[in-house]
């Protein structure tokens, strides 16, 4: 079975088309052109703002002219992650999809169902002529994953509706009415390159095989973080051997993804060579035991390496290892208002060697309480400031405060009960959505977020449960049909 054999056929048709268009964050030119071509072919009104956001409009079906305009919204960009050994150019290659055991996944890469399936649903709605609805506006935003740029730059007056359906959630049967805000914190170390000493045993240590995942939606699962595991080993090695030379280090990629892989090139005195391997064996056993329920494929690999030309000066290397070891990662607090909701968290996302003899450690903080978001960012900053790094914070983005009295929430709840004879779960989400930014420009918006079931987004294990797409689509159409007249 292929993606084009699935139901609802029109949604899957457009999702397949979307997967064939390269659309990395900040490189959305091809998907924007695709959307413009779609609008021209279907004679749909379209406009584009300065940041590249697209808005398509469709009039009401007969008898629904007095229903208020509903905005449907998805983001067009995708997280680009692939497994080691997978040959794929995200700037040019289409995503290869695989149907397997009731799920759709990609072949060694992220699937892009976050948020391509939302884009596909909007296109299916725009292309259909047999769906009952009032006036609709379909908003396609850019660069959600790496900066929320489209939502931040959305112009006042671009939208006319007062009801917004965000199609970027990941659990069918759950309707979200709030989300966390976020902030990035980056620490920069400046090192002095020194000639790598002779007479040392040099080796490369790799952490791989982790699932990774969304640093908001999956931070509570206690998944392995490759950056943390790597610096834990380096800390133990330094404590055990004393003399350690750090030549290079690299781990993780995106601020909103839990790091799946990390590696470092290290040198130790030759007489400590055996200790390196013994310590790694013991440490690997500990890590496998810690992650036996969530990351069963974790691997720590060691192989000898040629002597590099240079290494990082000892003071900077020590400060980097100690501060990354001390830097918090994971859940910092649970909500006192909504049971089971993560309130505050932080993600030790990446460590990268950059130009100008610098090493940049990237982190991100989230909270549904703005003061706690700031506190978490300052806590992380303090860790690196004490180690002599310079620290900078991003602008961040606001949360979306839950509104249990939302009229569209009630419509969606009633529609779900009618269709499936059971109650939808009403929740807030720890992941960041664009909704909080929309409210800054359009404070009158009444919003909810819902979607089909996705798992392991922001990682090559990303997949979408096929059966839930039909359920979600039916629910979406029932909501549109049920919005009351003005």
């Amino acid at each position: 079975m292929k993606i084009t054999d699935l139901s609802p056929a029109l949604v899957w048709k457009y999702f397949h088309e979307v997967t064939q268009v390269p659309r990395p964050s900040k490189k959305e030119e091809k998907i924007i052109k695709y959307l413009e071509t779609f609008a021209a072919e279907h004679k749909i009104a379209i406009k584009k703002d300065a940041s590249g956001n697209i808005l398509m409009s469709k009039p009401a079906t007969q008898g629904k002219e007095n229903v208020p305009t509903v905005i449907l919204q998805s983001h067009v960009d995708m997280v680009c992650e692939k497994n080691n050994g997978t040959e794929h150019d995200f700037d040019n290659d289409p995503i290869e999809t695989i149907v397997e055991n009731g799920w759709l996944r990609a072949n060694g890469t992220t699937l892009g169902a976050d948020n391509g399936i939302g884009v596909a649903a909007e296109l299916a709605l725009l292309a259909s002529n047999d769906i009952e609805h009032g006036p609709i506006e379909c908003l396609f935003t850019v660069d959600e994953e790496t900066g929320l740029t489209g939502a931040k730059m959305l112009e006042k007056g671009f939208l006319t509706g007062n009801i917004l359906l965000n199609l970027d959630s990941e659990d069918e049967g759950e309707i979200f009415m709030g989300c966390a805000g976020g902030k990035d914190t980056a620490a920069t170390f400046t090192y002095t390159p020194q000639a790598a000493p002779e007479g040392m045993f040099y080796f490369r240590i790799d952490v791989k095989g982790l699932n990774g995942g969304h640093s908001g939606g999956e931070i509570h699962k206690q998944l392995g973080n490759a950056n943390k595991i790597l610096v834990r080993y380096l800390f133990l090695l330094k404590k055990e051997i004393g003399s350690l030379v750090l030549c290079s280090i690299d781990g993780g990629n995106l601020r909103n993804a839990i790091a799946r892989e990390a590696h470092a090139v290290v040198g130790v005195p030759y007489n400590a060579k055996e200790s390196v391997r013994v310590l790694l064996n013991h440490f690997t056993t500990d890590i496998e035991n810690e992650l036996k329920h969530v990351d069963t494929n974790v691997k720590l690999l060691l192989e000898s390496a040629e002597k590099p030309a240079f290494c990082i000066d000892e003071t900077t290397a020590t400060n980097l290892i100690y501060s990354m070891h001390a830097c918090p990662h994971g859940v910092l607090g649970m909500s006192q208002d909504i049971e089971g909701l993560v309130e505050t968290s932080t993600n030790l996302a990446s460590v990268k060697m950059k130009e100008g003899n610098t090493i940049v450690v990237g982190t991100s903080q989230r909270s549904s309480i703005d003061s706690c978001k700031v506190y978490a960012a300052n806590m992380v900053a303090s860790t690196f400031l004490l180690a002599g790094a310079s620290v900078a914070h991003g602008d961040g983005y606001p949360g979306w405060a839950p509104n249990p009295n939302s009229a569209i929430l009630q419509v969606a709840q009633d529609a779900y009960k009618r269709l499936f004879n059971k109650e939808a779960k009403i929740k807030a989400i720890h992941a960041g959505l664009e909704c909080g930014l929309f409210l800054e420009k359009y404070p009158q918006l009444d919003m909810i977020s819902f979607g089909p079931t996705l798992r392991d987004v922001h990682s090559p294990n990303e997949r979408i449960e096929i059966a839930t797409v039909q359920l979600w689509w039916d629910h979406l159409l029932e909501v549109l049909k049920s919005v009351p007249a003005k």
Side-chain angles (χ1 to χ4, degrees):
M1 182 175 281
K2 305 187 299 294
I3 184 173
T4 48
D5 299 323
L6 305 175
S7 294
L10 202 56
V11 176
W12 288 112
K13 162 186 158 64
Y14 285 114
F15 182 57
H16 172 64
E17 291 187 8
V18 167
T19 65
Q20 304 308 288
V21 183
R23 50 194 177 94
S25 301
K26 291 184 166 58
K27 297 180 180 179
E28 293 98 341
E29 298 85 1
K30 292 177 181 177
I31 191 69
I32 290 172
K33 183 177 180 181
Y34 165 82
L35 293 173
E36 290 173 332
T37 300
F38 170 91
E41 289 176 351
H42 291 85
K43 297 180 173 54
I44 292 171
I46 182 173
K47 59 182 180 178
K48 180 169 65 173
D49 69 10
S51 65
N53 296 319
I54 295 284
L55 188 74
M56 299 189 202
S57 303
K58 188 177 181 181
T61 55
Q62 188 173 0
K64 288 284 186 177
E65 295 85 358
N66 292 327
V67 171
T69 300
V70 174
I71 306 159
L72 298 98
Q73 184 268 323
S74 306
H75 64 85
V76 298
D77 61 316
M78 65 173 283
V79 167
C80 297
E81 288 277 300
K82 61 183 178 180
N83 287 325
N84 267 356
T86 297
E87 296 293 330
H88 188 90
D89 178 0
F90 282 104
D91 289 348
N92 297 293
D93 296 342
I95 300 295
E96 181 185 347
T97 58
I98 298 170
V99 176
E100 183 178 74
N101 299 324
W103 296 79
L104 183 80
R105 64 175 177 86
N107 186 13
T109 71
T110 37
L111 175 62
D114 173 18
N115 186 216
I117 194 66
V119 172
E122 292 185 64
L123 295 176
L125 181 62
L126 289 164
S128 299
N129 54 18
D130 59 351
I131 295 172
E132 189 178 350
H133 60 77
I136 57 173
E137 295 180 331
C138 289
L139 175 63
F140 304 91
T141 52
V142 298
D143 192 31
E144 187 267 357
E145 298 290 4
T146 62
L148 293 161
T149 306
K152 287 178 179 177
M153 295 182 67
L154 188 67
E155 299 166 1
K156 293 181 178 180
F158 194 63
L159 309 174
T160 66
N162 291 334
I163 299 170
L164 187 143
L165 307 179
N166 171 275
L167 306 180
D168 191 20
S169 294
E170 298 163 9
D171 287 282
E172 190 281 324
E174 298 183 357
I175 304 171
F176 293 91
M177 59 173 180
C179 72
K183 196 174 187 69
D184 297 342
T185 302
T188 301
F189 292 84
T190 301
Y191 65 90
T192 302
Q194 297 183 340
E198 302 286 347
M200 304 281 280
F201 169 60
Y202 289 96
F203 63 95
R204 173 172 165 146
I205 175 75
D206 276 88
V207 180
K208 56 178 57 178
L210 296 167
N211 288 316
H214 194 294
S215 65
E218 295 175 301
I219 198 70
H220 63 288
K221 294 182 178 179
Q222 296 183 289
L223 297 164
N225 180 313
N227 296 326
K228 268 296 189 184
I229 294 171
L230 178 64
V231 296
R232 282 177 63 181
Y233 176 69
L234 296 179
F235 179 90
L236 292 173
L237 194 64
K238 189 169 180 61
K239 183 179 178 181
E240 175 82 13
I241 294 171
S243 180
L244 178 150
V245 174
L246 179 63
C247 302
S248 64
I249 187 168
D250 184 276
N253 284 304
L254 301 173
R255 62 169 179 79
N256 52 7
I258 300 167
R260 297 182 300 111
E261 298 179 348
H263 67 264
V265 174
V266 181
V268 297
Y270 254 101
N271 60 11
K273 180 178 179 179
E274 186 61 29
S275 297
V276 167
R277 297 188 184 276
V278 171
L279 183 63
L280 182 64
N281 290 339
H282 288 303
F283 181 64
T284 299
T285 300
D286 289 341
I287 294 298
E288 289 174 344
N289 180 59
E290 292 174 15
L291 300 179
K292 62 186 177 184
H293 298 299
V294 291
D295 267 306
T296 55
N297 295 317
V298 61
K299 293 180 177 63
L300 282 80
L301 305 176
L302 186 150
E303 60 180 6
S304 58
E306 297 292 326
K307 181 178 81 70
F310 72 90
C311 63
I312 300 163
D313 70 90
E314 183 178 0
T315 298
T316 304
T318 299
N319 288 341
L320 177 68
I321 292 169
Y322 285 178
S323 59
M324 287 186 65
H325 191 273
C327 181
H329 169 82
V331 175
L332 299 179
M334 301 296 293
S335 173
Q336 301 299 308
D337 297 316
I338 301 175
E339 185 177 356
L341 175 67
V342 176
E343 180 184 271
T344 307
S345 73
T346 183
N347 178 39
L348 183 59
S350 63
V351 53
K352 300 290 179 185
M353 298 184 74
K354 303 281 190 177
E355 294 179 354
N357 301 329
T358 59
I359 304 169
V360 179
V361 180
T363 74
S364 67
Q365 293 74 49
R366 302 175 189 265
S367 184
S368 48
I369 299 176
D370 191 64
S371 60
C372 291
K373 177 183 70 178
V374 174
Y375 169 55
N378 288 339
M379 179 180 4
V380 169
S382 299
T383 305
F384 292 109
L385 289 169
L386 286 167
S390 61
V391 174
H393 297 291
D395 292 336
Y397 56 91
W400 165 29
N403 176 18
N405 298 316
S406 158
I408 192 62
L409 174 62
Q410 189 61 57
V411 168
Q413 283 182 272
D414 293 344
Y416 197 86
K417 181 68 179 293
R418 250 189 334 272
L419 281 174
F420 307 119
N421 198 31
K422 61 180 180 179
E423 300 288 346
K425 298 177 181 177
I426 310 304
K427 292 188 172 184
I429 191 171
H430 187 58
L433 297 171
E434 294 157 288
C435 298
L437 287 162
F438 297 150
L439 280 175
E440 288 188 329
K441 306 286 179 62
Y442 299 88
Q444 79 283 359
L445 282 176
D446 187 10
M447 300 184 294
I448 56 171
S449 178
F450 59 122
T453 298
L454 280 67
R455 290 293 177 264
D456 296 327
V457 298
H458 297 185
S459 85
N461 295 325
E462 181 188 1
R463 59 200 184 278
I464 183 169
E465 190 173 12
I466 293 165
T468 66
V469 175
Q470 183 71 65
L471 300 174
W472 168 63
W473 176 245
D474 291 343
H475 186 207
L476 173 60
L477 299 192
E478 185 70 14
V479 170
L480 291 173
K481 176 183 176 181
S482 304
V483 175
K486 301 174 186 176

